[in-house]
Every structure is written in structure tokens, then in C-alpha cells.
């Protein structure tokens, strides 16, 4: 699994973005998150518990702790109060993207190569808009899936341009859980080493 959790990810744009009110919320929240060293994954207004604003975020190294969620929540609440984009009462819920995460940046497809993903496109690609398979390759323009369910007459591999992507999400498997836990452990160890190095300077 190649790792793209480098400094360039801080400003890497999302491929899949919100519309309407969700987009306005993302425009308000994202600069605050970037300033704190986090990346916005997704914002959604949901009709649960009255109304809930669900914010998914993560650090640039892919981690997100409970303390990080609290920190993000405390930072974006006053900005949302000032901008006041929602005229009703709502609950703010900040979370990590989870293991079966939405895939919203090109680096997600590089980082999670070898894992199963399901995705939808905005245009027909080979008479389909929905795909499921293992990510076998990703470059600047597209990613290639090796389908796990092939219909008669279909090629086993399909290349999907990033510009055609409308939704994508990892599929939970034992391999994904193992690799996600390993990546999280590695990121936390690197952060701890960095903190020790900073303290010694």
C-alpha cells in the first residue's frame, strides 16, 4: 500500500464536493480545518435528532482521535455562529471518515490501492454508472478497477476518469480493517516521534 500522506495533501482539492446548503457549509468550515492541519472529507445536513450537521474530517496523516473531533467542533462552532447559514436549531457532529470511508481525493485512490471500492459516475462508462472492484492503479487522470463481479461481455478491468466520479466509498473487508489499523498505528508512532523531536529542540 503506497502512502501519500505528505504535506501536499493539505491543499489537495476534493473530487467530490457538496451542493446547495452543504456546499455553503463546506466553504465556511474548510478554511478553518486547513488552518488547523485537518482535511475536510464531507459535510452533510441530515434530518436526524431534529437537524444534524455531520462533518467528516481527518488530520493530513489520515488519523482522527476523539480529542481531534472535539478540537474541530470547538473551532468551527463560533465560525458557524457568526456566518449563521442555518435558520433552524441543529446538532453538530464531527467524526472521522471511518474505515469504509468516502473516497474524495485522488490521493485516497493511491493510498487505498488493492482494496475494494464501490463508486458511481456522472456519465456512462461502458454502459454503466455503478462499479465495484479492487483499485489496481491510480494516476493523475483516472483510476483502474478490477471488477469483482463481471457481467457477460464486460472487460475485467475498467478505467474511470476522476472527472466522471460522483460518489465513491471503500467496502469493508478484513484486509481493509487490517491495513487501516496498521496505517493508523504507524501515523500515531510517527506523530509521537515528531513530538519527542520537537521537545528535544
Amino acid at each position: 500500500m503506497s502512502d501519500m500522506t505528505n504535506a501536499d495533501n493539505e491543499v489537495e482539492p476534493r473530487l467530490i464536493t457538496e451542493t446547495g446548503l452543504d456546499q455553503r457549509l463546506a466553504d465556511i468550515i474548510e478554511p478553518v480545518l486547513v488552518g488547523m492541519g485537518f482535511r475536510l472529507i464531507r459535510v452533510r445536513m441530515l434530518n436526524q435528532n431534529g437537524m444534524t450537521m455531520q462533518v467528516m474530517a481527518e488530520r493530513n496523516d489520515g488519523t482522527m482521535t476523539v480529542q481531534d473531533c472535539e478540537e474541530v467542533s470547538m473551532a468551527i462552532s463560533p465560525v458557524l455562529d457568526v456566518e449563521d447559514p442555518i435558520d433552524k436549531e441543529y446538532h453538530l457532529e464531527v467524526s472521522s471518515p471511518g474505515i469504509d470511508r468516502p473516497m474524495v481525493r485522488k490521493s485516497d485512490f493511491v493510498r487505498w490501492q488493492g482494496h475494494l471500492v464501490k463508486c458511481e459516475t456522472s456519465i456512462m462508462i461502458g454502459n454503466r454508472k455503478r462499479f465495484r472492484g479492487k483499485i489496481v492503479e491510480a494516476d493523475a487522470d483516472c483510476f483502474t478497477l478490477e471488477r469483482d463481479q463481471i457481467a457477460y461481455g464486460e472487460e475485467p478491468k475498467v478505467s474511470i476518469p476522476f472527472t466522471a466520479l460522483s460518489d465513491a466509498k471503500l467496502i469493508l473487508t478484513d484486509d481493509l480493517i487490517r491495513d487501516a489499523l496498521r496505517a493508523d498505528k504507524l501515523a500515531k508512532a510517527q506523530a509521537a516521534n515528531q513530538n519527542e523531536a520537537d521537545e528535544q529542540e
Side-chain angles (χ1 to χ4, degrees), residues 46-58:
L46 306 169
N47 286 323
Q48 59 188 44
N49 300 335
M51 285 187 74
T52 299
M53 182 192 306
Q54 182 191 69
V55 177
M56 280 187 189
E58 66 185 357

Side-chain angles (χ1 to χ4, degrees), residues 180-192:
L181 291 174
R182 187 182 297 147
D184 190 51
K185 191 175 179 181
L186 181 65
K188 285 178 179 163
Q190 287 173 339

Side-chain angles (χ1 to χ4, degrees), residues 68-180:
D68 291 338
C69 291
E70 289 170 3
E71 192 182 323
V72 166
S73 182
M74 287 180 1
I76 62 178
S77 288
V79 180
L80 288 165
D81 288 345
V82 169
E83 295 286 337
D84 201 20
I86 302 164
D87 58 2
K88 300 184 182 102
E89 276 194 30
Y90 64 91
H91 304 281
L92 177 60
E93 178 186 289
V94 177
S95 69
S96 77
I99 293 176
D100 53 345
R101 57 176 299 129
M103 307 279 276
V104 296
R105 288 180 172 86
K106 291 179 183 180
S107 60
D108 292 339
F109 290 87
V110 173
R111 184 174 185 202
W112 299 105
Q113 243 172 359
H115 290 285
L116 281 176
V117 68
K118 60 181 175 184
C119 60
E120 287 186 40
T121 56
S122 54
I123 56 169
M124 293 290 238
I125 296 173
N127 297 325
R128 271 180 177 257
K129 280 188 164 186
R130 290 187 174 170
F131 301 89
R132 180 188 149 115
K134 185 188 292 186
I135 305 165
V136 290
E137 196 179 343
D139 61 31
D141 302 316
C142 66
F143 62 99
T144 303
L145 288 185
E146 189 170 66
R147 302 179 211 238
D148 63 347
Q149 300 159 340
I150 304 166
Y152 179 75
E154 286 184 332
E155 292 293 321
K157 290 184 180 175
V158 59
S159 288
I160 299 171
F162 285 120
T163 52
L165 200 61
S166 63
D167 193 31
K169 187 177 183 187
L170 282 174
I171 296 172
L172 202 57
T173 62
D174 289 343
D175 287 345
L176 177 61
I177 293 168
R178 184 196 64 230
D179 286 355

